[in-house]
Amino acid sequence: MDSSTSRSTWWRSAVVYQLYIRSFADGDGDGLGDVAGIRAHLGHLRDLGVDAVWINPWYPSPMADGGYDVADYRAIEPAFGTTEEGVALIEQAHAAGLRVLLDIVPNHTSDQHAWFRAALAGGPERDRYIFRQGEGDRPPNDWMSVFGGPAWTQVADGSWYLHLFDPGQPDLDWSNEAVRAAFESILRFWFDRGVDGFRIDVAHGMVKADGLPDLGDDHAQLLSDADVHGHPFWDQDGVHEIYRRWRAVADSYADTPEGARVFVAEAWVPAPGRLTRYLRADELHTAFSSALLDGGWDAVALREGIDGALATAAAADAPATWVLSNHDVVRQVSRLGRPGAKGHTLAHLPPVETLDRELGTRRARAAALLMLALPGCAYVYQGEELGLWEVEDLPDDALQDPTWERSGHTDRGRDGCRVPLPWSGTASPFGFGPDGSQPWLPQPADFAAVTVEAEEADPGSMLALYRAALRLRRDHPSGGTPTWRPSEPGVLAFDRVPGLTCVVNLTDGAVALPPGGAVLLASGPLAGGLPADTAVWLGPLS
């Protein structure tokens, strides 16, 4: 692996590949991605040039929410493989120079978890969940599920259990010490098998306000202004005690060959000062920034978001952590190809008729260079390196995201960014699985142009751009906070130590390149300066 110094700080500048296991590669032909598929394609990740891979939940699950309803945290879903195969994958990844992060889902379990089954049977495990009495057919309070509908389901004895997401995902009661101790044991279980860290799902959840007060008029808000009056189930102060205990577990592995283990938080909070609290020296290492997700294709919004993310991270001596897409948001080709659009869910974007995929692809290429030039960590969602777009015409009967059902078929949900990857060939399954197999979500015919095989043969492809950018990023490691250059409206330009300049043209026309720089990499052809929707990396003239 690497030296003791880099072992302890690798996560501060890592590029991590997010691998949605059901859609990465199918090794046995059942239509679902699996551990065998990952092992067969580790070379793709090595050649891409990433430092680590984050695997979305691979635990046993009834799949009410794509594996985020966990039935057993100490095993692997049989459809994906065995725990022994998972351990072999970790060893194989390490041998290829790749670290491995898993997802951990601490806010809720599956309703098929042994704890919840025992809870319904009246066992002491009931205290590990949030059961309350309502008033007849009225639930205990007015909380709504993130997926739509009430956040409470009534059981046979008349009581109600809380589920902030799907009814198949009952919320745990984190005031229960047995829950806290069990999850620390789960962390150790996987750390002992070589896992290098965890991405924490809904890291701002878990702890609920005493008394479970009504939200009232604020019930539709994902987050309220917690700095002023607090939110009863998001970003409660009690989460920080949990993470201090988790950090102690991670740090206890500092003397192992892999070094101390790390955490990255999915923490949606309403103010920068709140996020900084998660990044204190005795809590979590990193937390995702939504700056590049929320800014649209707007230079002012992006610069404000970047400055805010850098300042928030610096206040805790942590690295900023950038993402352009993930398994919960519309792919950036389809977001950025809607002129003037902001937002990252289908419900908040203009209709698909406004999409210009060619424009979205140009902008996605430029956005990749912007993200990878910024200091800190970057996460690449599988398929970004191919320029995949959101598949927005999936048949209704193919949709599996619980949002589709819970919204009364008004919100198509997240399946469009989860369509299985195209690896080779000219027709489905495009090498995702053996010829003749049917992927769990249908692939569009025009994926034929963006298979790994096709893009490896094209020096101008998105894959070639990502490989070149990641190679140059390693050759030009960031030395600190970027310095913004004066630039005309609609242009982002900054210097990054040592000696790399990034310029992104978000205007409708070409702009002049800064003088005195050698072109290291551009997201598109340079003609008459820097064309619209194009980014360039410049280095010092030799």
Side-chain angles (χ1 to χ4, degrees), residues 7-13 101 191 196-200 243-244 246-254 259-266 275-288 312-314 316-321 376-377 379:
R7 280 197 303 118
S8 63
T9 60
W10 68 271
W11 49 273
R12 298 188 70 90
S13 60
L101 308 181
F191 288 158
D196 298 285
F198 284 94
R199 175 265 191 183
I200 306 171
Y243 295 138
R244 282 190 288 272
W246 284 23
R247 181 60 176 263
V249 172
D251 287 351
S252 71
Y253 287 80
R261 309 312 203 254
V262 300
F263 297 111
V264 57
E266 179 204 30
L275 188 62
T276 300
R277 292 156 57 89
Y278 290 80
L279 300 174
R280 289 177 287 202
D282 61 346
E283 292 191 36
L284 305 178
H285 301 77
T286 58
F288 293 123
T312 295
D317 190 28
T321 302
C377 317
Y379 279 68

Side-chain angles (χ1 to χ4, degrees), residues 166-295:
D166 189 80
Q169 295 168 292
D171 278 48
L172 288 161
D173 185 347
W174 274 85
S175 68
N176 185 292
E177 178 56 29
V179 171
R180 297 188 178 211
F183 271 83
E184 289 165 28
S185 174
I186 291 164
L187 296 177
R188 290 188 181 280
F189 177 87
W190 290 108
F191 288 158
D192 289 344
R193 283 153 183 79
V195 167
D196 298 285
F198 284 94
R199 175 265 191 183
I200 306 171
D201 183 60
V202 195
H204 57 298
M206 299 145 76
V207 175
K208 280 69 176 176
D210 290 343
L212 309 183
D214 283 345
L215 269 168
D217 292 339
D218 199 35
H219 73 275
Q221 299 297 320
L222 179 65
L223 285 169
S224 62
D225 190 349
D227 282 336
V228 176
H229 58 75
H231 191 291
F233 54 78
W234 297 139
D235 193 32
Q236 287 281 305
D237 288 345
V239 298
H240 300 289
E241 179 187 348
I242 296 167
Y243 295 138
R244 282 190 288 272
R245 289 174 56 166
W246 284 23
R247 181 60 176 263
V249 172
D251 287 351
S252 71
Y253 287 80
D255 294 331
T256 63
E258 297 85 2
R261 309 312 203 254
V262 300
F263 297 111
V264 57
E266 179 204 30
W268 296 91
V269 297
R274 302 296 297 187
L275 188 62
T276 300
R277 292 156 57 89
Y278 290 80
L279 300 174
R280 289 177 287 202
D282 61 346
E283 292 191 36
L284 305 178
H285 301 77
T286 58
F288 293 123
S289 165
S290 62
L292 302 183
L293 285 176
D294 295 337

Side-chain angles (χ1 to χ4, degrees), residues 30 80 109 133 146 166 227 231 256 322 336 352 411 436 458 508:
D30 65 355
F80 298 155
T109 71
Q133 295 299 320
V146 172
D166 189 80
D227 282 336
H231 191 291
T256 63
W322 312 104
L336 299 178
V352 68
D411 187 335
D458 178 5
D508 294 331

Side-chain angles (χ1 to χ4, degrees), residues 20-37:
Y20 193 73
I21 186 169
R22 292 200 300 170
S23 298
F24 184 71
D26 171 16
D28 62 9
D30 65 355
L32 288 174
D34 47 36
V35 174

Side-chain angles (χ1 to χ4, degrees), residues 329-417:
V329 306
V330 173
R331 287 189 177 275
Q332 65 262 37
V333 167
S334 297
R335 297 197 318 269
L336 299 178
R338 287 165 156 90
K342 292 190 177 180
H344 50 253
T345 64
L346 288 177
H348 294 94
L349 288 171
V352 68
E353 289 76 19
T354 67
L355 171 63
D356 180 341
R357 192 190 296 168
E358 183 179 342
L359 173 67
T361 300
R362 286 200 310 273
R363 290 177 171 179
R365 291 173 66 93
L369 291 197
L370 171 61
M371 178 178 75
L372 294 173
L374 290 167
C377 317
Y379 279 68
V380 176
Y381 178 49
Q382 66 177 43
E384 280 184 41
E385 79 277 20
L386 302 176
L388 298 190
W389 53 89
E390 189 84 1
V391 182
E392 299 183 51
D393 58 353
L394 290 169
D396 289 357
D397 60 4
L399 298 177
Q400 298 189 30
D401 189 339
T403 302
W404 173 240
E405 293 296 336
R406 296 279 292 174
S407 68
H409 295 178
T410 61
D411 187 335
R412 293 179 66 80
R414 303 159 293 178
D415 288 323
C417 67

Side-chain angles (χ1 to χ4, degrees), residues 386 389 422 425-426 430 444-455 458 461:
L386 302 176
W389 53 89
T426 58
F430 296 112
D446 45 1
F447 266 12
V450 290
T451 65
V452 173
E453 179 182 58
E455 295 204 18
D458 178 5
S461 68

